[in-house]
Amino acid sequence: MKRIVYALMATVTGLVLLFSYRTSVAPEAASALSDVAPVSSGTTAAAPAPTPSSTATASPSASGSSGSAASGASSGSTSSGSTGQTPSSGLRDGTYTGAAANTRYGPVQVQITVSGGSITDVQVPEYPSSNGRDQQINSRALPTLMDETIQAQSAQVDMVSGATYTSTGYRTSLQSALDQARS
């Protein structure tokens, strides 16, 4: 009889502990995190992510093709800016927006500015930010990825620990923008 009582008490205690475990950020902390936006390497701050209903517009000279399932990229890549001579790095001066790469938690889109054949600025106009956890992860990961892009001058940037999906989507969209700058 005692064993049954102890087993029931242990089960009840386990259930109470399980259901009292906090798995998300409190609403006050989530609203404080929503004000955090990734900062670019330039002098301006990155714009907040557009709403899911917004779509990228393509210029007449840009070609948007639907991505394959393997790449996870969607259509809607744009490019703008001057199309000056191609320096030895192979990148033309201008601003190039990569195709939005779909990730498990939402699309990631990268925009680069090339000046003098080098990547001088990186923006992330679209990234997962629908909840406090996404905002917390991306407020740490995106500035790191943007800094590494300017240092590496390529899509060969290290993944950020704890932001695997964002890092993968970032690299995919960055490669799309770099391909536009080279063509």
Side-chain angles (χ1 to χ4, degrees):
M1 183 70 181
K2 282 185 177 181
R3 286 185 183 175
I4 294 173
V5 171
Y6 287 134
L8 287 174
M9 289 177 55
T11 302
V12 169
T13 302
L15 287 173
V16 167
L17 290 174
L18 178 67
F19 288 119
S20 67
Y21 182 73
R22 259 184 47 197
T23 59
S24 63
V25 179
E28 301 85 31
S31 66
L33 287 173
S34 67
D35 296 335
V36 177
V39 179
S40 69
S41 61
T43 58
T44 60
T51 59
S53 64
S54 68
T55 59
T57 57
S59 65
S61 62
S63 63
S65 61
S66 63
S68 66
S71 70
S74 67
S75 63
S77 59
T78 63
S79 66
S80 63
S82 62
T83 54
Q85 296 181 355
T86 305
S88 61
S89 69
L91 299 177
R92 292 178 296 141
D93 290 355
T95 300
Y96 304 94
T97 302
N102 292 320
T103 69
R104 180 176 178 179
Y105 298 103
V108 178
Q109 188 172 35
V110 177
Q111 180 181 32
I112 60 171
T113 301
V114 178
S115 179
S118 298
I119 301 171
T120 58
D121 188 33
V122 180
Q123 299 289 321
V124 185
E126 189 172 5
Y127 57 91
S129 61
S130 61
N131 63 48
R133 183 69 176 143
D134 288 344
Q135 294 167 2
Q136 180 183 20
I137 289 169
N138 292 324
S139 68
R140 179 182 57 85
L142 292 176
T144 302
L145 291 166
M146 294 181 334
D147 288 343
E148 287 186 18
T149 301
I150 292 175
Q151 290 174 3
Q153 294 292 308
S154 72
Q156 301 300 316
V157 294
D158 291 334
M159 304 268 283
V160 175
S161 177
T164 304
Y165 293 106
T166 297
S167 297
T168 302
Y170 178 93
R171 289 169 59 170
T172 301
S173 182
L174 175 59
Q175 186 61 55
S176 172
L178 287 169
D179 291 345
Q180 291 176 37
R182 288 189 180 103
S183 58

